Amino acid sequence: MSTAAPASQLMGDGVRPATETIRIRVNGREVEVPKTMPDWQGKPVPTTMLQACEWAGVTVPHYCYHPKLPVAGNCRMCLVEYGTPALGPDRQPILNPDGTPRIVKSPRPAIACATPVTPGMEIYTDTPGVKAMRAGVLEFLLINHPLDCPICDQAGECKLQEYALDYGEAFSRFGEAKVHKPKAVDLGPRIVFDAERCILCTRCIRFTRDIVGDDALGIVHRGSYSTIATAPGRAFDNNYTLNTVDLCPVGALTSRDFRFRMRVWFLKETPSICPSCGTGCNIRIGSRQGRIYRYTPRPNDAVNSHWMCDYGRLNYKWIHRPDRLQKVEIRGRVSSWELASDQILQQLRVASPGSVGLVASARLSNEELWLLSRLKARLHALSDAVPREGEGDALLLHADRNPNTQGARLTGVCYTEMGSQLPLIWERIRTGQIRILLVFGEDVIRQGCDPASLDQLEMLVVCDVLPNATTAKAHFLLPGCAPAEKSGTFTNVHGRVQRFHAAIPPPGEARPEWQFLAEWVTRLTGESLPGHLPGLFNRMASEVRAFQGLTWSELGDLGRLVPV
Amino acid sequence: MPAEYRLILKHALEPGYTPDLACYLRHGGYETLRKGLTLPPRTLPDGRSLSPQEQIREEVVKSGLRGRGGAGFPCGLKWSFVDRRSGKPIYLICNADESEPGTFKDRQIIYRDPHQLLEGMILACFANDVHLGFIYIRGEFTEGARILERALAEARDHGLLGKNILGTGYDLDILVHRGAGAYICGEETGLIESLEGKRPYPRIKPPYFPAVLGLYLCPTIVNNVETLCNIKHIVAMGGSEFAKIGTPNNTGTRLVSLSGHVRRPGCYEIETGKVTLGELIFDPAFGGGLREGRQLQAVIPGGVSAKVFRAGERVSLRRRGLDGKEVVEERDVLDLPYDFDTLIAAGSMSGSGAVIVIDDSVSMVDVLANISAFFAHESCGQCTPCREGSLWMAKILKRLASGRGRPRDAEDLLHIADNIPGGRTICAFGDACSWPVQSTVSKFKEQFLARGAEGEPYRKVAQPAATSVARLSGTGGGAHPAASALASSVSTAS
């Protein structure tokens, strides 16, 4: 979890850098900073010392400050010393003999997170006084802390550890009994709270109150006995509770799901996109040795700010289900990709126009959907994708539970009204007009296709990740990949094309769909396609009107918006 | 010959004076209000015309009135910061959360002469175009809240409050809000949060200066009870006349709450700066000296958060003489005039006007342990240094006072106290909890070192069970440290 965003990223989408700048000095170095910068809501407000220091590339340690939360100013870790130009009686700056303005150092420090910079201000973050204040704050934070890093999930990504190492003292003067507070408290179904580790920065309280609008958390008791708590009898249970675990700078709030399961320094973090709804929250997949341990949100102001919903975050367990499809099967017998591809393509080559139906999933990547639309064009197939609706909310969770509805539309696999062709496909299967059905990642029986009619087909090709009623009837069963097991792009509901990367290898014989689909298209059409994903994306971008001008590398980590 | 100067308590302490409206009116009450509300506009030489509100504000500036709550901030200046162009309503809050230990002056006014407070407050509200005022009264003052409610009802019945006050067209209502018993509610932004129905966490400044973003994020003035009473007298006699009471820059009177080891503890009203600390303690008109056979040990001049003076301590004051030159003057603490500036120059403060006298019958370790326990209990817990530091200091002092001290405790206390004040915390509580420790430990270090030296040897790894036994036997009647050590080792063995 990192809150120190680079200067360029502090400017949220839509907030243009202020043209007006002011000159200040940070540790003696002159820098020009914008007069205003976005506050937690993106509203331009006078630039704070902390923002100015980050702009100047100077780190100011902090616990309670978070760029996307209202300022609390309670941790006192960001205290800095500063001075302002002395003004004469005529309100003009008094100059030193060498012509520079005379700076009057403030007798009191200021919290960098809440104090605006003024022209000519000098900020000092590395003086003995500032170092002593940081060491003092850390000493205070640690005296009642249990110091149980060896069993704490936060260890390795803990601001208390990091700052104690950077700014703290190596010894303790504390010889009293520590304050004892509740441990392993279930704040809600997904959050476990250790009050002794808590440094009372109130990030969790502000998040749930000001971002989610669920005023579920508060502080009870006072002084050093203060403790985060829910109202009696109330659980901290909204769809965004797990963000407080990311926000918590220490190990006080832990995820029931992730707790005690893996040391964070063993996790490989892969930038990806949450596939659970059309919002396309940017995430990091934490995995180790082919196993996923957690999803965490990756900041992207244009999509999900710094957050993601609990539903999306915990929707990864199916990837490791033991009944995952892992083998290529031809009519129930284990076979190989080569054999299956040969036989499928042999039939497809001779299929008469209109005799092929194609049901794709809007959970496939843009590249895969585009390859399917190429197949569709070659075979003159009737195709559609399956809409998937749920209940959305005002923050992130979208009612469209497909991650790539726009991709399916833009590549031409379905019409704007997704699913409108499905009844026609079922009808034509029943009447025998459709002799070959290709199903990618959907259970057509569950979508209303008569199971008995599937038995009349000459060929039923099903590619999926988990077994279902349709896979049971498949003539050719091909094991596919979860998004976490392959790379690609999704187009979210607003038309933002975003990359995701393979975090773990697929199980067994499973292959990313784009790999064998590219092979099929090449073999069917004779057109040579790039065998790697970036090339495939660039080829698609040159052919699909909506993606015109995009390149894989230019998508970057934050994606690009296309008109939809 | 020093004597009391009764301005605010002029009638309140008279026999037979009652807190009801009829009695107040018999003593000339609400005449000043009528005068203030009906001031004719005054034209300045440059042709500008001053409204009655502006005239009152100007008189307050002229009077040099300084806030009586503790910080001594000039009242006229505070009012001048109010954002009058925001288009939002302006609120005025009377801070009646008198909670600084040793202070019992505001309650004299509230209990004996509530209408004087109301008159001053209505005038202050009028001067600042306030139409809704609040009296935030300390929760423990249940009777005081009842008296105020009754006084407000009387005032409303007589057209002194509510719509169209005294037929002048000015509307104002005042509501009483009772606190729930927290020291921090006396801090003005903490008070505002509490009044809004939240935890009284003081707000960060910037941006939440009450004059701009106060109650409900509207411009707000928070004034102490005594300050508001003074407004009445300023309007009655005029700012320049008021400024003649007391000494320059320390005008008016002060209510001094004298407590501790004196023969005549009580609330005395003095002309600011005209009476010395020594006179307050020893003069028959005030404290009347110490008890028989006792020596003065220490004086806390402005509530327990003020830095303590040691008896016999000599302080050097830097003063600017009439010729503009700075002169350094050395004085005994008892010869310090009781006013704002002198006590600040002497390294302490007059704070809330609470003078606590300590003779040689007590140990300063115990005094400080008591004070620190109070601050540890009252720290709101919002920001780190105060939350953790106040309790840490209290724990060390409790241990020290109960005979389990360490030689290094004094140094540790000073070090901890140095890490809390001076802008490291959100509000002045950080200063309030560390100043007594800084001053008491450094000025009475020999007592702390002696207690530390006689404590049982510090054991680095203390058994929790053992320490609790030691604590019990240590507090249960002055058991010898060695005996408690023995008790603890016995219980560990069993």
Side-chain angles (χ1 to χ4, degrees):
Chain A
M1 188 216 62
S2 160
T3 55
S8 58
Q9 207 187 307
L10 281 173
M11 316 297 296
D13 255 23
V15 182
R16 288 223 239 122
T19 44
E20 220 176 327
T21 58
I22 54 179
R23 284 180 177 281
I24 59 162
R25 278 175 181 276
V26 179
N27 296 337
R29 196 163 56 84
E30 187 164 51
V31 282
E32 201 170 329
V33 299
K35 197 173 178 191
T36 62
M37 283 177 94
D39 69 355
W40 65 284
Q41 290 167 308
K43 224 168 43 196
V45 292
T47 303
T48 63
M49 289 176 167
L50 196 142
Q51 288 171 321
C53 285
E54 297 211 331
W55 188 271
V58 173
T59 307
V60 179
H62 53 266
Y63 288 109
C64 66
Y65 170 79
H66 187 281
K68 298 297 173 189
L69 295 176
V71 170
N74 60 31
C75 73
R76 316 309 283 181
M77 194 63 200
C78 69
L79 281 171
V80 292
E81 293 178 333
Y82 69 103
T84 43
L87 295 182
D90 54 352
R91 308 293 298 160
Q92 291 303 309
I94 303 175
L95 299 182
N96 288 322
D98 63 353
T100 53
R102 186 194 295 169
I103 301 295
V104 189
K105 208 167 159 185
S106 162
R108 293 162 75 87
I111 42 171
C113 65
T115 313
V117 291
T118 51
M121 181 183 263
E122 296 199 348
I123 303 171
Y124 318 102
T125 69
D126 55 1
T127 58
V130 172
K131 286 178 182 161
M133 287 188 289
R134 288 175 185 166
V137 168
L138 279 168
E139 180 178 38
F140 286 135
L141 286 175
L142 288 172
I143 55 171
N144 286 307
H145 189 86
L147 305 175
D148 56 348
C149 306
I151 57 155
C152 177
D153 282 290
Q154 191 79 4
E157 52 183 11
C158 173
K159 288 284 175 206
L160 207 48
Q161 283 185 329
E162 288 168 20
Y163 291 158
L165 191 66
D166 291 348
Y167 311 109
E169 303 282 2
F171 56 91
S172 172
R173 259 185 290 265
F174 189 72
E176 320 306 314
K178 289 185 188 243
V179 172
H180 289 295
K181 298 190 202 175
K183 295 181 86 72
V185 181
D186 290 324
L187 281 187
R190 294 173 293 286
I191 304 289
V192 184
F193 174 56
D194 183 325
E196 291 185 346
R197 291 178 188 157
C198 175
I199 60 164
L200 295 160
C201 69
T202 69
R203 276 183 175 188
C204 52
I205 297 177
R206 285 175 280 148
F207 170 77
T208 188
R209 184 188 64 203
D210 296 317
I211 305 291
V212 186
D214 175 20
D215 201 353
L217 298 177
I219 290 178
V220 294
H221 307 306
R222 64 189 188 192
S224 192
Y225 303 97
S226 300
T227 302
I228 308 282
T230 55
R234 241 198 95 181
F236 179 42
D237 184 13
N238 59 55
N239 195 23
Y240 294 89
T241 58
L242 285 167
N243 291 296
T244 60
V245 177
D246 310 326
L247 282 168
C248 185
V250 297
L253 294 169
T254 48
S255 156
R256 175 167 293 290
D257 181 60
F258 178 68
R259 196 172 144 78
F260 300 140
R261 290 192 53 221
M262 183 51 63
R263 307 277 16 183
V264 295
W265 52 82
F266 290 133
L267 291 179
K268 182 180 79 168
E269 302 226 301
T270 312
S272 186
I273 301 297
C274 172
S276 291
C277 83
T279 303
C281 288
N282 291 212
I283 61 168
R284 288 193 192 92
I285 297 178
S287 63
R288 185 193 182 199
Q289 293 179 342
R291 216 176 161 78
I292 293 174
Y293 287 89
R294 65 173 182 185
Y295 287 175
T296 46
R298 180 164 57 89
N300 186 345
D301 282 355
V303 181
N304 55 315
S305 187
H306 289 231
W307 330 120
M308 71 183 295
C309 74
D310 291 1
Y311 164 75
R313 189 190 297 250
L314 297 177
N315 191 13
Y316 68 90
K317 309 226 158 138
W318 57 272
I319 295 172
H320 297 304
R321 258 168 63 173
D323 57 347
R324 273 289 296 272
L325 301 176
Q326 301 193 17
K327 298 253 189 291
V328 179
E329 287 178 27
I330 301 177
R331 294 181 196 276
R333 297 175 62 174
V334 174
S335 182
S336 72
W337 280 100
E338 290 74 19
L339 214 55
S341 288
D342 285 351
Q343 293 187 13
I344 293 165
L345 290 173
Q346 198 177 352
Q347 287 217 40
L348 287 180
R349 259 188 214 108
V350 299
S352 57
S355 69
V356 180
L358 169 63
V359 178
S361 172
R363 289 163 160 175
L364 296 173
S365 70
N366 289 321
E367 299 77 15
E368 288 156 353
L369 289 163
W370 170 68
L371 289 166
L372 284 174
S373 81
R374 295 287 305 270
L375 273 187
K376 168 192 174 177
R378 161 69 179 76
L379 304 169
H380 302 285
L382 183 60
S383 78
D384 206 345
V386 176
R388 194 169 267 107
E389 294 283 320
E391 207 176 309
D393 66 25
L395 195 51
L396 289 175
L397 184 61
H398 201 275
D400 180 356
R401 292 294 158 79
N402 278 324
N404 203 15
T405 299
Q406 297 293 10
R409 286 174 185 152
L410 296 175
T411 53
V413 166
C414 70
Y415 292 105
T416 305
E417 201 189 324
M418 185 185 284
S420 57
Q421 303 300 304
L422 290 177
L424 189 61
I425 296 175
W426 310 155
E427 174 63 18
R428 289 196 182 166
I429 293 170
R430 209 172 50 76
T431 58
Q433 272 171 283
I434 287 179
R435 308 294 305 152
I436 296 174
L437 183 65
L438 307 176
V439 183
F440 280 83
E442 296 290 354
D443 179 0
V444 292
I445 293 174
R446 200 164 151 206
Q447 299 305 329
C449 182
D450 177 13
S453 68
L454 291 178
D455 297 335
Q456 310 166 16
L457 289 170
E458 274 173 23
M459 178 167 79
L460 174 58
V461 178
V462 182
C463 170
D464 215 326
V465 290
L466 290 166
N468 57 42
T470 307
T471 59
K473 289 190 173 288
H475 304 147
F476 293 90
L477 183 57
L478 308 172
C481 283
E485 293 158 354
K486 62 190 177 190
S487 300
T489 59
F490 285 142
T491 310
N492 84 352
V493 283
H494 303 297
R496 183 166 287 266
V497 182
Q498 308 189 97
R499 300 194 307 203
F500 58 90
H501 302 277
I504 53 170
E509 302 279 295
R511 283 176 80 190
E513 288 84 338
W514 63 266
Q515 282 186 1
F516 65 85
L517 281 175
E519 193 187 306
W520 288 7
V521 171
T522 301
R523 285 169 68 179
L524 276 178
T525 63
E527 179 192 4
S528 94
L529 287 173
H532 51 90
L533 201 79
L536 206 56
F537 177 86
N538 294 346
R539 174 70 68 84
M540 172 186 73
S542 67
E543 289 188 16
V544 178
R545 181 194 293 264
F547 298 145
Q548 216 99 69
L550 297 182
T551 65
W552 174 262
S553 58
E554 274 173 14
L555 287 182
D557 282 340
L558 303 179
R560 284 295 177 93
L561 204 59
V562 299
V564 290
Chain B
M1 195 59 194
E4 274 206 74
Y5 183 105
R6 286 191 180 165
L7 179 71
I8 290 169
L9 297 181
K10 188 170 181 191
H11 301 299
L13 299 179
E14 282 172 12
Y17 189 82
T18 50
D20 56 285
L21 181 63
C23 179
Y24 189 65
L25 290 174
R26 275 203 303 281
H27 289 77
Y30 289 109
E31 286 305 319
T32 314
L33 177 63
R34 190 178 299 278
K35 176 188 164 189
L37 294 189
T38 55
L39 281 174
R42 201 173 81 222
T43 316
L44 294 176
D46 62 2
R48 271 192 312 129
S49 167
L50 279 187
S51 68
Q53 287 92 331
E54 285 166 321
Q55 289 179 46
I56 296 177
R57 297 209 294 265
E58 204 187 75
E59 292 303 313
V60 172
V61 172
K62 265 197 238 165
S63 74
L65 176 67
R66 293 173 70 167
R68 301 296 199 245
F73 193 79
C75 183
L77 193 57
K78 192 179 212 176
W79 288 8
S80 75
F81 292 152
V82 171
D83 182 0
R84 298 179 199 282
R85 299 215 174 91
S86 65
K88 299 186 211 169
I90 300 170
Y91 295 111
L92 188 140
I93 303 169
C94 169
N95 185 346
D97 191 68
E98 183 175 60
S99 40
E100 179 72 23
T103 315
F104 42 88
K105 62 182 181 72
D106 293 341
R107 73 192 76 182
Q108 310 297 336
I109 301 164
I110 294 165
Y111 280 69
R112 294 171 196 268
D113 203 1
H115 282 286
Q116 185 184 185
L117 168 61
L118 295 190
E119 188 171 3
M121 189 168 168
I122 297 168
L123 281 164
C125 288
F126 173 70
N128 290 290
D129 304 303
V130 172
H131 297 288
L132 183 57
F134 296 89
I135 301 175
Y136 187 99
I137 187 167
R138 178 178 173 164
E140 287 86 339
F141 291 175
T142 44
E143 182 62 15
R146 263 187 345 119
I147 292 169
L148 281 175
E149 291 282 14
R150 203 183 305 134
L152 286 169
E154 286 174 329
R156 282 190 201 104
D157 289 346
H158 286 75
L160 300 162
L161 202 59
K163 293 266 175 228
N164 193 13
I165 294 172
L166 295 172
T168 58
Y170 174 59
D171 303 335
L172 169 71
D173 205 1
I174 294 176
L175 302 173
V176 175
H177 182 95
R178 287 185 55 203
Y183 176 78
I184 202 65
C185 291
E187 201 278 345
E188 61 180 0
T189 55
L191 185 153
I192 287 170
E193 287 278 301
S194 170
L195 195 54
E196 288 184 3
K198 306 176 193 157
R199 277 174 77 86
Y201 276 172
R203 296 175 174 174
I204 50 172
K205 292 146 265 184
Y208 298 106
F209 293 108
V212 183
L213 294 171
L215 183 64
Y216 307 119
L217 297 188
C218 296
T220 303
I221 299 165
V222 184
N223 281 144
N224 175 259
V225 172
E226 190 187 340
T227 315
L228 288 171
C229 290
N230 277 312
I231 302 295
K232 175 203 149 164
H233 299 288
I234 290 167
V235 175
M237 64 176 79
S240 358
E241 207 52 39
F242 183 89
K244 288 179 188 161
I245 308 170
T247 51
N249 204 32
N250 297 274
T251 56
T253 64
R254 290 216 65 178
L255 300 180
V256 177
S257 312
L258 185 65
S259 66
H261 299 136
V262 284
R263 286 173 193 266
R264 296 179 68 234
C267 185
Y268 299 98
E269 186 167 10
I270 60 164
E271 252 189 286
T272 315
K274 293 281 177 74
V275 180
T276 65
L277 259 183
E279 285 165 344
L280 277 172
I281 298 168
F282 291 103
D283 196 278
F286 302 108
L290 306 178
R291 294 175 297 171
E292 196 62 46
R294 288 294 173 195
Q295 295 286 313
L296 182 66
Q297 178 170 218
V299 186
I300 303 175
V304 292
S305 54
K307 289 191 176 177
V308 68
F309 286 131
R310 184 179 178 138
E313 185 182 340
R314 295 188 71 78
V315 291
S316 35
L317 299 178
R318 263 169 211 287
R319 299 195 156 209
R320 202 170 284 279
L322 288 174
D323 53 356
K325 278 191 192 151
E326 213 170 64
V327 283
V328 179
E329 196 187 339
E330 211 186 59
R331 283 205 194 188
D332 188 280
V333 281
L334 293 184
D335 295 333
L336 295 175
Y338 195 81
D339 65 25
F340 294 100
D341 292 337
T342 314
L343 290 178
I344 288 171
S348 185
M349 61 174 184
S350 60
S352 58
V355 177
I356 300 168
V357 183
I358 299 158
D359 71 16
D360 58 354
S361 65
V362 295
S363 156
M364 290 309 287
V365 177
D366 296 326
V367 170
L368 188 59
N370 189 341
I371 292 174
S372 284
F374 170 80
F375 283 121
H377 181 248
E378 294 296 344
S379 170
C380 77
Q382 184 182 199
C383 62
T384 311
C386 163
R387 175 181 71 229
E388 305 297 344
S390 60
L391 184 64
W392 188 3
M393 295 190 296
K395 278 179 173 173
I396 293 178
L397 283 160
K398 185 180 177 189
R399 182 167 48 71
L400 195 57
S402 60
R404 287 174 295 116
R406 295 179 290 166
R408 49 176 274 211
D409 282 340
E411 275 314 310
D412 282 358
L413 282 169
L414 286 178
H415 182 92
I416 299 164
D418 285 347
N419 269 333
I420 306 172
R424 288 174 176 85
T425 51
I426 291 173
C427 76
F429 191 101
D431 304 293
C433 72
S434 47
W435 283 345
V437 175
Q438 285 177 330
S439 59
T440 313
V441 176
S442 54
K443 290 181 184 176
F444 297 88
K445 202 157 192 175
E446 75 286 352
Q447 293 190 22
F448 287 83
L449 290 176
R451 281 285 189 105
E454 74 194 28
E456 64 179 290
Y458 171 58
R459 284 158 305 161
K460 186 141 195 195
V461 185
Q463 299 290 327
T467 22
S468 68
V469 170
R471 188 176 298 139
L472 283 177
S473 53
T475 50
H480 192 269
S484 43
L486 187 67
S488 64
S489 60
V490 167
S491 80
T492 319
S494 63

